[in-house]
Structures are given as C-alpha cells and as structure tokens.
C-alpha cells in the first residue's frame, strides 16, 4: 500500500499511456497493479528505466478477453481506481482484425464493468475508460463532448460501444465511471507504427520515409499531460465525460517538416498525390515518398478538440506544445540510436 493508501489497477500497463500513468501514480504514493496480456516476446520495454523495480509496482498477466481473470484480479488487488487503457489501439490494423478489436476494445470494457458489478465494487472502485477522438469520425472541427459521434473504423466503432456501456453502468448501477475522450497524444514511448514515432525515428536515423496521407490533420498532445488528465477525472466529486485536447492541429506534412527542421534539415515538397516527394533543400536527396500501402479504407481528415470543459472543471491545461513534443521525440530517438534506453520515465 502506498503513502496515499490508494490502489490503482491499470489494464494495458505495457503501452505508452500505461507506462506514463503508472509512473504518475507511483509518484503520488499509489500502489499500482498493471495487467498485461501474455506475449511470447518481451513486452516490458516501456517499463524499463525506472518502473519495473519500483516498490509499489506489481505486474500481472491479465487479459480483457478473459472475464474470470478480470474478476480474480479485482478480487486480489481491491483497487480504488481502475484505468482501462488496454486495447488494440491501431486504427489501420483494426481494418485487418476487426473482430479481435471489438472483442478487446468493446467487450473487454463490458467484461471489466461486469466484474465490478458482480463483485459489488461500484461503491469502492472508480473507473476510467480510454475513449477516443476517433469516435467523432469526420464531424467538423472543433469536436467537444456534445459533438455527435460518427465512427469510421472498426477501432472507432468498438470504442463507441465501450463509451456507451461505460455511461450505461454509471447511470444504471451507479459506477463512478468516466470517459476520457482523448485526442492523439504521443511521446518517445509511442508505438513504432504510429505516424509520429515513425517520422521521429526516420529523422533521427537519417533514413528516408514512406508515408500515407500527408494531409490528415491531428490534434497532437503529449501523453504525460494526458495521463494527468485521466487521474484528475477520477478525483472529481461526480463522474463525467471529458475531452482532452490541445485545441490546435497540424498535418502529417507539418510534423515531417518540424521533425526534420529540429534535426537541421529543411524539407521542400514537389509533385502531387502519389508522386509527391519531400526533398532535402540542401542536398536534393528524397526524404519522403507517398506509399498507398499506408492509406486507410476510410480516413479521418481533421481532428481538433475543444478542451474547454476539462480546463474549466478539472483545471487541466497541457504543458507541452507541438514544438516541444516533436523535439523531445526526435531527441529521444537519437539517444536510442546511440545505445540509450527508454528512460524518459526515470528522467522526470
Ligand atoms: P498502446 O500503446 O497501444 O497500449 C495498449 C495496451 O493494451 C498495450 O499494453 C497492450 O498490450 C494492451 N492490450 C492489448 N490487448 C489487450 C488485451 N486483450 N487485454 C489487456 N491488455 C491488452 O496504446 P496507448 O497509446 O497507450 O493508448 C492507451 C489507451 O488509450 C488505448 O485504449 C487507446 O485505444 C486509447 N487512446 C489512445 C490515444 C492516443 O493517442 N495514444 C488517444 C485516444 C485513446 P500489448 O502491447 O502486449 O499488446
Ligand atoms: O495516424 C496518417 C494516418 O496511426 C495518424 C491512436 O492512438 O490516435 C491514434 O490513431 C494519421 C492518420 O494515429 C502514415 O492516415 C500517414 O490520418 O499515428 P496514427 P491515429 O490513426 O490518429 C487516436 C486518437 C486513437 O485513439 C488511436 O488509438 O497519420 N498517416 N502516413 C499515417 N499513419 C501511420 N500509422 N503510418 C503512416 O505511415
């Protein structure tokens, strides 16, 4: 038990947000129990550099596809706060594995909520659901808590089910359950197949890049700010749903330009559509090409959130900017290349 005497359970603790949240809660004296699905290869990379050995941190095998496991985990850990971050979180991959995505992202949330109900824990355990701006689809920006949802991918449809079942258990059974509707948030711990990390890595390694839609715009914040917001939601007097976003967006092309600029390279663009290229202004070398393999069957063109409710009710304000995020990600990749480790959690 930590100094606060509080216990947190995190599903998806081996993911980007799980690692930052575990660190955030341990720093506040929580005992943290993290669930990870079984993996044949090392899935604890993000937890190294400060977390795995910390007193108060406990790692368990746990799977959102396994109700019995979830019930036993709740019984064993008796959490005050449950953060449901576990998911198949890659939008493009959800078109390839839609059923598995629904099983984990949608039914997994139901299983966890049912476990709370079955164990009669609704008066003790507060519940955070990792909802997503993807649920808004192509609704006009800025999107906020009142924007109608219009999911465009199996991922978003599954997250929408989870969003509504979270609200249902709040209304029907009195579970202190909150949806955080989070816009894209990134960091050096971002999965390598997401576009920001892919760009940062190529820039740091001096490699050329093949990308999909360069025009897509996202509201990119820093994961460290967003996990703080998750925790703030569960400290309120009453459960509610909140958008977390920066309120500004940039295109994938902007991210490419900013990342190369941080490394001292100016990118100029030539050509259109599939023939478009990003070229090094000094050497003429091709740095970026467009590859249709990275296009999606359906695309979200412009996400930009309005975080006014979180600012007013929670006092949540992001501390990182687009520019500091890009710089941190490129610098962290350069450190990794030089043989460093993911020690961003320890470095705070
Ligand atoms: P992430 O890095 O992909 O982490 C997801 C975690 O879920 C991983 O630890 C993964 O484990 C775990 N997981 C996968 N299948 C599971 C299962 N069957 N049972 C239990 N855990 C499972 O994602 P993230 O960026 O940290 O995001 C955290 C959550 O927020 C996700 O639910 C995501 O959908 C949501 N979200 C993210 C963003 C964003 O911009 N990052 C925005 C809105 C919402 P393995 O790695 O071993 O598979
Ligand atoms: O794509 C475009 C791509 O995969 C961002 C998840 O955390 O945030 C994330 O979902 C944009 C898209 O993230 C490549 O088409 C271009 O328009 O980094 P991403 P995402 O799909 O926005 C939301 C809020 C979540 O909830 C999700 O869990 O970039 N793009 N070229 C590319 N994307 C990728 N991955 N790879 C490319 O080569």
């Amino acid at each position: 038990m930590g100094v606060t005497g509080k216990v947190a359970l995190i599903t998806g603790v081996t993911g980007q947000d799980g690692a930052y949240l575990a660190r955030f809660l341990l720093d506040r004296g929580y005992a943290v129990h993290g669930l990870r699905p079984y993996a044949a290869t090392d899935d604890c990379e993000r937890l190294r550099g400060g977390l795995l050995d910390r007193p108060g941190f406990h790692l368990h095998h746990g799977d959102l596809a396994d109700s019995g496991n979830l019930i036993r985990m709740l019984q064993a850990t008796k959490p005050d706060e449950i953060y449901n971050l576990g998911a198949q979180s890659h939008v493009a991959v959800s078109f390839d594995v839609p059923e598995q995505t629904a099983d984990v992202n949608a039914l997994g949330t139901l299983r966890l909520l049912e476990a709370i109900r079955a164990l009669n824990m609704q008066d003790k355990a507060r519940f955070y659901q990792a909802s997503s701006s993807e649920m808004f689809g192509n609704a006009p920006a800025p999107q906020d808590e009142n924007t109608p949802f219009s999911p465009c991918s199996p991922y978003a449809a599954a997250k929408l089910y989870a969003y509504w079942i979270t609200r249902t258990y709040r209304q029907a059974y009195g579970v202190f359950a909150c949806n955080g509707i989070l816009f894209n948030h990134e960091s050096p711990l971002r999965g390598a197949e997401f576009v920001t990390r892919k760009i940062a890595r190529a820039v740091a390694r001096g490699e050329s890049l093949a990308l999909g839609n360069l025009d897509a715009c996202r509201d990119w914040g820093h994961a460290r700010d967003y996990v703080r917001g998750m925790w703030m939601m569960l400290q309120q007097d009453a459960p509610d749903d909140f958008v977390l976003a920066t309120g500004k967006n940039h295109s994938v092309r902007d991210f490419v330009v900013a990342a190369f600029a941080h490394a001292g390279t100016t990118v100029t663009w030539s050509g259109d559509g599939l023939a478009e290229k990003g070229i090094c202004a000094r050497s003429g070398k091709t740095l970026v090409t467009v590859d249709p393999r990275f296009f999606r069957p359906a695309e979200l063109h412009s996400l930009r959130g309005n975080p006014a409710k979180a600012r007013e009710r929670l006092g949540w304000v992001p501390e990182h900017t687009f520019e500091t995020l890009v710089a941190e990600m490129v610098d962290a990749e350069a450190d990794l290349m030089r043989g460093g480790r993911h020690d961003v959690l320890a470095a705070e």
Side-chain angles (χ1 to χ4, degrees), residues 62-338:
D63 203 306
L64 286 160
D66 189 323
S67 302
N69 167 269
L70 296 175
I71 289 174
R72 285 195 304 281
M73 281 298 134
L74 290 190
Q75 276 175 324
T77 62
K78 299 185 178 42
D80 301 286
E81 296 172 13
I82 300 167
Y83 296 87
N84 185 31
L85 310 185
Q88 190 301 96
S89 77
H90 202 289
V91 175
V93 171
S94 78
F95 287 96
D96 297 330
V97 291
E99 189 176 331
Q100 190 262 356
T101 302
D103 190 25
V104 176
N105 298 11
L107 291 182
T109 306
L110 173 65
R111 291 184 188 106
L112 198 46
L113 287 163
E114 265 297 288
I116 293 172
R117 189 164 82 96
L119 296 171
N120 224 3
M121 292 179 82
Q122 54 267 45
D123 293 332
K124 171 174 163 57
R126 296 184 169 201
F127 180 83
Y128 172 86
Q129 169 57 21
S131 287
S132 167
S133 55
E134 280 289 311
M135 301 186 310
F136 293 124
N138 282 308
Q143 298 90 6
D144 67 17
E145 294 82 359
N146 298 314
T147 302
F149 297 117
S150 179
C152 291
S153 65
Y155 170 81
K159 282 286 181 182
L160 193 55
Y161 175 88
Y163 167 89
W164 281 114
I165 203 68
T166 296
R167 288 182 63 122
T168 302
Y169 275 59
R170 178 164 87 210
Q171 285 154 7
Y173 304 120
V175 180
F176 191 112
C178 300
N179 282 291
I181 307 172
L182 271 48
F183 283 65
N184 296 55
H185 45 282
E186 320 290 313
S187 74
L189 300 187
R190 187 52 139 156
E193 292 189 342
F194 295 88
V195 77
T196 55
R197 179 87 189 276
K198 183 173 164 181
I199 296 167
R201 177 174 282 188
V203 169
R205 293 181 177 183
E207 293 170 350
S208 55
L209 259 171
L211 293 171
N213 182 2
L214 297 170
D215 295 317
C217 290
R218 291 291 184 273
D219 181 332
W220 279 300
H222 196 301
R224 203 181 279 126
D225 282 328
Y226 288 56
V227 302
R228 178 165 41 84
M230 296 174 188
W231 174 78
M232 287 170 133
M233 289 179 211
L234 294 197
Q235 312 314 308
Q236 300 305 295
D237 292 336
D240 205 345
D241 306 322
F242 294 91
V243 159
L244 298 185
T246 71
K248 294 181 185 157
N249 69 3
H250 297 85
S251 65
V252 171
R253 191 192 316 275
D254 293 339
F255 199 104
V256 168
V257 169
F260 275 107
H262 183 68
T265 301
T266 303
V267 180
T268 58
W269 299 92
S270 76
D272 286 322
L274 289 177
E276 183 165 7
K277 287 186 172 39
I279 294 166
C280 173
R282 190 161 32 87
S283 68
K285 180 184 167 195
T286 297
L287 301 172
V288 184
T289 53
V290 175
D291 186 332
R293 280 183 305 145
F294 299 110
F295 291 160
R296 295 172 181 187
E299 176 64 287
L300 302 198
H301 304 293
S302 181
L303 287 172
R304 179 166 59 84
N306 173 4
K309 180 175 172 185
R311 188 174 56 237
E312 282 151 26
R313 303 256 197 93
L314 305 177
W316 180 81
V317 180
E319 290 170 2
H320 297 261
T321 64
F322 177 73
E323 290 73 23
T324 60
L325 170 70
V326 173
E328 185 184 335
M329 290 184 73
V330 173
D331 289 345
E333 288 302 324
D335 283 350
L336 275 183
M337 246 186 49
R338 287 191 287 265

Side-chain angles (χ1 to χ4, degrees), residues 19-78:
Y20 278 105
L21 180 64
R23 156 83 201 234
F24 177 91
L25 294 171
L26 286 165
D27 286 350
R28 277 151 192 80
Y30 282 64
V32 175
H33 295 270
L35 300 193
R36 56 164 173 161
Y38 172 72
T41 49
D42 179 16
D43 61 347
C44 289
E45 175 65 19
R46 294 185 178 97
L47 304 179
R48 298 214 164 78
L51 271 182
L52 274 182
D53 301 333
R54 266 185 78 160
F57 183 68
H58 311 276
L59 203 50
H60 311 267
H61 279 126
D63 203 306
L64 286 160
D66 189 323
S67 302
N69 167 269
L70 296 175
I71 289 174
R72 285 195 304 281
M73 281 298 134
L74 290 190
Q75 276 175 324
T77 62
K78 299 185 178 42

